[in-house]
Amino acid sequence: MTGKELPIPSAAPPVARPAPAGGPKRARIGEALVHEGVLSPEQLQKALAQQKATGRMLGELLVEQGVISGSTLVQVLAKTIGVKGCQLRHGLIDPSLLKLIGAEEAERLLALPMFKVHGTLTVAMTEPLALPKIDRLRALTGCKVRTVLALEANVREFIKKYAAGDGNLDAFLTSLTEEDVSVVERESVDEGPVADIDKMIAGSPIINLVNVTLLTAVRDKASDIHIEPEKKGTRIRYRIDGVLRDLMKPPAGMHAAIVSRIKVIGKMDIAEKRLPQEGRVHIIAEGREIDLRVSSMPTLLGEKLVLRILDKENLRVKLEDLGFRTEAMVAFKRMLEQPHGLVLVTGPTGSGKTTTLYSALDLVRSPELNIVTIEDPVEYQLDLINQTHVHDAVGLTFARALRSILRQDPDVIMVGEIRDEETARVAVQAALTGHLVLATLHTNDAPGAVARLLDMGIEPYLLSSAINGVVAQRLARSICPGCATKYYPSEQELADAGLNDRTGRAFRKGSGCQQCHDSGFQGRFGVYEVMEVTPEIRRMIHKAAPSHELRDQFRKQGGRTLREEGVQLALDGRSSLDEILRVTHNEDATADPAAAPAREVA
């Protein structure tokens, strides 16, 4: 699509589209670039003179000379004809989809299938408005076809790379350049600056495949990478906004080599395949330092690896950035302003509890306070905070580390997780002896944290004196701003949300676009249930009141449950109603029949 100075689109049928504001109705390539401000009139005249002398394509000349980038060119072209534009790159395309149309047909149509979601095939084309070509793609694939614009050279390059299939995978990976893979291994995860070691061995297909996987996951803001053995090969998936998506499927015979490579850089034992192992990798990707936590697990078909991506750029430690409503934020800050006591953050694995604790530490840290943490493991390093991690192999458990911390003259203590009675008892004793203790706990909601500690054997009179409050949380996906639209929930969804009187009200959701991988969501935010321990709740804890009675009292004093907080956020347009129903549960469904009536939602 880097054609000569011709009207756009050149081969597509006429389509009635509004002209760009202030621009010509059917702009030429050069005029469009000038109109968008990426090219000056003088540069255009010079490029046109060179084009006339050489017969080269105008866009090709400009990119080759470095006047504009290929991605800039494709975006301007796409905007001019009113479609989405895409610069193809490794990891964005599923190579296995090329067989749906075949390499010859792909060359003829200049079309490359990129990914398929729920029966809709996204295809990169040089002529994304050419209806005959789109109809041919529909007939070949049996899918709905969604087209995006890509440059001809870009499309041909990737058709050629993927056309040979599995047999040419080594050649494809070996051909990757430093521009494709800019991940550099680091020696260790020691504190302070560390020196780069030699770049990874050039030309190894396995090393390049691992690098592409890591780099793509970092670029797409994934939180985890799953490398799983299958009967006929390997499946690599990554988790974006809490949902797993397929990344690539290397062919059979590569799984053991992939696992060995990751074990080597993770300082793990490559000979031990019968026992689970853990390792850590420090890399530079996209120009920034990133930690990877590696976990291996033997399965029937081979070892499975999960890599947790710890990117400091994604860590939001300011409490105001986490999504607390004003009332919940004020209540949480009151808990943290107490000179001593126990503050718990609860929720399932992956719900953002550690981030909330780091944000709380960021709020209270100062040169006047001695803040010490015990974590498993330390995920992010923070200034003015003394952080240590448990080491079960040498007997350094949470309880033992916590006892040692109490002899270090601490003011604030953060316990990564209360797992057993011993840790719980030491944490409660620390809270009773003048320390502010922050900790996480695995429970479904805030009142359930009290029952969990009582079940661990903590006496009610001790817990009632120690506890300041509990925060329960979940992570919900945010609506993608690029494809947000209105929709009307079903009557069942409204009933589940306690909104029977809102029939006919429009809610927001994402329809799916390239920007959000056709999911309709981009990014996540927290849903928080903040239960501050008032004198009445403290008396109830002293009497070991059950969870549903604590919840009733919590709601009577103005608190909102997780479901109620989430529904309010859906009404505010932060997320879709079905997403809120997915991540929260209906507390009243399991509560005592005499529980408090449903709260009114604004």
Side-chain angles (χ1 to χ4, degrees), residues 269-339:
D269 183 358
I270 62 172
E272 180 55 74
K273 301 179 181 179
R274 300 165 299 173
L275 295 173
Q277 296 186 62
E278 293 185 0
R280 195 153 183 164
V281 185
H282 200 53
I283 64 171
I284 298 177
E286 298 281 274
R288 60 184 187 269
E289 297 186 13
I290 293 169
D291 282 341
L292 305 172
R293 266 179 24 215
V294 186
S295 171
S296 72
M297 175 68 69
T299 72
L300 287 176
L301 300 177
E303 287 185 278
K304 173 180 176 177
L305 295 179
V306 176
L307 291 80
R308 169 64 58 87
I309 300 173
L310 305 173
D311 187 351
K312 292 181 180 178
E313 281 202 1
N314 295 334
L315 177 66
R316 293 174 293 180
V317 295
K318 295 295 182 184
L319 210 56
E320 292 76 9
D321 297 337
L322 298 186
F324 279 91
R325 285 191 315 104
T326 303
E327 298 88 339
M329 171 78 74
V330 171
F332 189 31
K333 285 184 175 180
R334 275 199 301 265
M335 300 178 198
L336 300 174
E337 288 167 359
Q338 302 298 319

Side-chain angles (χ1 to χ4, degrees), residues 497 499 562-572 577 580 601:
L499 299 175
L562 278 168
R563 171 62 59 86
E564 291 164 349
E565 288 277 1
V567 169
Q568 183 61 58
L569 291 167
L571 288 167
D572 293 342
L577 191 59
I580 293 300
V601 183

Side-chain angles (χ1 to χ4, degrees), residues 44 91 163 201 241 274 322 351 381 383 433 502:
L44 174 59
I201 303 169
D241 295 337
R274 300 165 299 173
L322 298 186
S351 60
Q381 297 179 28
D383 295 333
T433 53
R502 303 299 177 99

